[in-house]
C-alpha cells in the first residue's frame, strides 16, 4: 500500500475503473456469444441479437475499451456471418 495520499487515491480509483471495465467487457463478450449462437442455430431473433451485439461493440469503443479498428473487425465478422446464414 502506498504512503502518499494521492497514490492511495489512485489505487482506489484504478480499482473502481478496473471493475467497471471488467463488467463492460463481460457484457460485450456475452452479447457477441449470444449473437453467434443465434446465427448458428438459425434462431428467429438472430438479427436482433446481432444488432444488440453491434450496439455493445459501439458502446465499448466509445468508452475506450476497444480500438475502432478492432470494433469494425468484430462488427464486420458478425454481419458477414449473419448474411451467409
Amino acid at each position: 500500500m502506498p504512503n502518499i495520499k494521492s497514490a492511495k487515491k489512485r489505487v482506489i480509483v484504478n480499482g473502481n475503473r478496473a471493475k467497471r471495465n471488467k463488467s463492460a467487457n463481460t457484457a460485450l463478450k456475452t452479447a457477441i456469444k449470444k449473437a453467434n449462437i443465434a446465427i448458428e442455430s438459425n434462431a428467429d431473433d438472430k438479427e436482433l441479437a446481432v444488432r444488440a451485439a453491434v450496439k455493445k461493440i459501439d458502446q465499448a469503443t466509445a468508452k475506450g475499451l476497444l480500438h475502432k479498428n478492432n470494433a469494425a473487425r468484430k462488427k464486420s465478422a458478425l454481419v458477414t456471418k449473419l448474411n451467409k446464414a
Side-chain angles (χ1 to χ4, degrees), residues 22-41:
K22 183 151 182 78
S23 173
N25 273 325
T26 303
L28 171 66
K29 288 179 185 178
T30 303
I32 292 172
K33 283 179 188 175
K34 283 183 180 178
N36 280 325
I37 290 170
I39 292 169
E40 289 168 5
S41 65

Side-chain angles (χ1 to χ4, degrees), residues 17-63:
R17 286 187 175 183
K19 287 177 189 172
R20 190 176 308 130
N21 288 341
K22 183 151 182 78
S23 173
N25 273 325
T26 303
L28 171 66
K29 288 179 185 178
T30 303
I32 292 172
K33 283 179 188 175
K34 283 183 180 178
N36 280 325
I37 290 170
I39 292 169
E40 289 168 5
S41 65
N42 204 14
D44 294 335
D45 63 339
K46 61 185 174 188
E47 291 180 16
L48 291 175
V50 170
R51 197 175 304 151
V54 167
K55 183 176 180 179
K56 285 282 187 188
I57 291 169
D58 287 336
Q59 288 173 342
T61 306
K63 290 178 182 176

